[in-house]
Amino acid sequence: MTLLITAVGPDYSLAVSDQRVTATYRSRTRIIDERFNKNIFFGTDDYVGNISYTGVAQWNLKGKQYRLYDLISDAIASVITQNPKLASLCLHIVKHLLKAMPGKSVLGIDPDFELHVITRQKDLQVNTITVISTFRTAAPWGSADGIIYEWDFEVFHIFMKALVEESEVVFGGMEPHVRATEKARLRTTLRSGANAFQLSRMASDIVGRVASRTHTVGAANVSIVIPTNGYVDTNLWSSTEQGIVAYLPCIVWPNGSRWGPSNFPVDLSLISDGHYPKHSLFFKSIVQKIYKRSLRRVIFRRRKGPQVPGIMGMIGLVLFGSVKEGYEDFGLSDHEA
């Protein structure tokens, strides 16, 4: 079972999860994959969001494989063109899962998983965190801030909190292995104004410590950030002989089309152009990994020139030939998309 750490604040929303996929058979846990991206990014005309999940991720029955990752992305793609309100989208996902996945009559037990959904409105300063769970019965909130909703639908419990200036941190999956002091420190750091990169590093450290406490969680983890202003970004990449490769989660676009999971090559020379947005993840994580501390400080403190877009900004530049005002376009905006 995955460890999920989901944080929502006034300036950004952050989803952090480990990448280990396991299967249990006769009380023994087997590692299937150490580098699986358990995030699904999506957008409508009104809001953008991300879903991460924990629990039983796949079932193999009578030669047919059911993957929670595919079922969730199928559910979003089947309704996203209708520009659904958030509550309607969540209910549609629940109904789709109930219809598409094997039930208790087949499995012998109820499916055991939980989804964390973060969304940010495009025109309003409203940020929402939704937890959809088959096993959680008590609300996951760390505080009574925000506007709270709760629904039950068959085996699912749905908890939703809408926030404006408030903040919230929710833990899922292997939460019992996260110590109270670790939870409190992360919440305090968010409320104290830490940027997304700082909070993602702290959350990554927690994942690493939990990985040492239980073999169902892997130390490798990924973060997805949705800033109030700017581009969605991720810190998942690797260094290959050909250069830096960014790894993207499944993306469901407003027109219903889907990408990925996929990868995207990135030229390292881009790191030195412009400066990084406050809530950048992708390029900051590369700089943190490959440069010495003295040079990192110079790069992170630089505020001259246009901002360097994160990985989703780079993809938008390639697809559409332009970036938002105030961002570096590397001369590509002069060409037609």
Side-chain angles (χ1 to χ4, degrees):
M1 184 176 282
T2 300
L3 173 63
L4 301 182
I5 303 176
T6 306
V8 175
D11 295 332
Y12 62 90
S13 299
L14 184 73
V16 182
S17 60
D18 81 276
Q19 295 180 259
R20 178 173 288 177
V21 176
T22 60
T24 302
Y25 179 70
R26 292 184 177 179
S27 300
R28 289 191 174 186
T29 300
R30 178 170 59 93
I31 297 173
I32 298 175
D33 195 337
E34 289 281 20
R35 296 284 179 175
F36 193 81
N37 195 339
K38 305 169 188 177
N39 290 276
I40 300 169
F41 177 71
F42 62 92
T44 72
D45 292 340
D46 297 326
Y47 56 84
V48 293
N50 183 77
I51 295 182
S52 52
Y53 62 88
T54 182
V56 179
Q58 63 183 43
W59 304 266
N60 293 297
L61 297 169
K62 298 180 180 180
K64 183 176 181 180
Q65 185 180 75
Y66 300 82
R67 291 207 315 167
L68 188 58
Y69 193 83
D70 296 330
L71 296 178
I72 296 170
S73 58
D74 288 344
I76 298 172
S78 67
V79 75
I80 203 73
T81 57
Q82 300 174 28
N83 198 33
K85 299 298 183 183
L86 177 58
S88 297
L89 174 65
C90 291
L91 184 59
H92 178 81
I93 292 172
V94 166
K95 290 180 177 179
H96 185 93
L97 292 178
L98 283 170
K99 182 178 180 181
M101 70 184 183
K104 184 175 182 179
S105 61
V106 177
L107 297 175
I109 58 173
D110 285 323
D112 194 24
F113 59 85
E114 181 171 286
L115 316 182
H116 286 198
V117 188
I118 52 173
T119 54
R120 299 187 80 84
Q121 294 290 132
K122 293 180 178 178
D123 297 326
L124 302 173
Q125 295 296 322
V126 178
N127 320 305
T128 307
I129 178 170
T130 306
V131 175
I132 302 171
S133 181
T134 63
F135 57 81
R136 186 189 294 270
T137 56
W141 316 124
S143 71
D145 297 338
I147 303 173
I148 297 174
Y149 305 91
E150 226 175 279
W151 303 278
D152 288 331
F153 193 90
E154 297 192 22
V155 299
F156 287 92
H157 308 284
I158 306 173
F159 308 91
M160 181 182 290
K161 178 182 275 196
L163 307 106
V164 180
E165 292 297 330
E166 306 89 352
S167 62
E168 180 62 270
V169 179
V170 172
F171 297 82
M174 301 309 289
E175 178 180 357
H177 293 274
V178 183
R179 293 171 180 165
T181 53
E182 294 169 334
K183 293 181 179 180
R185 185 163 176 256
L186 193 69
R187 288 190 172 104
T188 299
T189 301
L190 174 64
R191 291 168 181 167
S192 298
N195 63 42
F197 179 64
Q198 293 166 334
L199 200 72
S200 70
R201 291 192 66 202
M202 183 178 290
S204 178
D205 289 341
I206 293 175
V207 173
R209 288 194 290 273
V210 170
S212 69
R213 300 166 192 162
T214 171
H215 60 276
T216 61
V217 173
N221 56 88
V222 58
S223 298
I224 304 284
V225 65
I226 306 175
T228 299
N229 297 303
Y231 289 103
V232 174
D233 209 2
T234 179
N235 65 350
L236 192 57
W237 59 276
S238 68
S239 181
T240 69
E241 292 182 358
Q242 290 73 37
I244 298 295
V245 176
Y247 296 98
L248 303 173
C250 175
I251 301 172
V252 183
W253 300 98
N255 64 4
S257 63
R258 273 179 284 188
W259 270 20
S262 56
N263 56 66
F264 188 85
V266 178
D267 187 345
L268 261 185
S269 65
L270 300 178
I271 285 180
S272 60
D273 292 326
H275 68 279
Y276 302 133
K278 183 177 181 180
H279 304 302
S280 169
L281 287 186
F282 184 73
F283 284 110
K284 281 186 177 180
S285 65
I286 295 175
V287 171
Q288 182 71 31
K289 181 73 173 180
I290 68 176
Y291 286 103
K292 294 181 179 180
R293 181 179 298 179
S294 58
L295 188 53
R296 290 202 305 262
R297 288 175 177 171
V298 172
I299 294 175
F300 286 164
R301 291 176 179 174
R302 182 179 180 182
R303 288 294 179 268
K304 296 180 180 180
Q307 298 180 94
V308 177
I311 188 60
M312 287 298 292
M314 294 295 298
I315 290 173
L317 182 60
V318 171
L319 289 178
F320 308 113
S322 64
V323 289
K324 296 179 180 180
E325 185 177 352
Y327 282 84
E328 175 63 63
D329 65 3
F330 310 106
L332 297 177
S333 290
D334 294 332
H335 306 283
E336 294 184 358

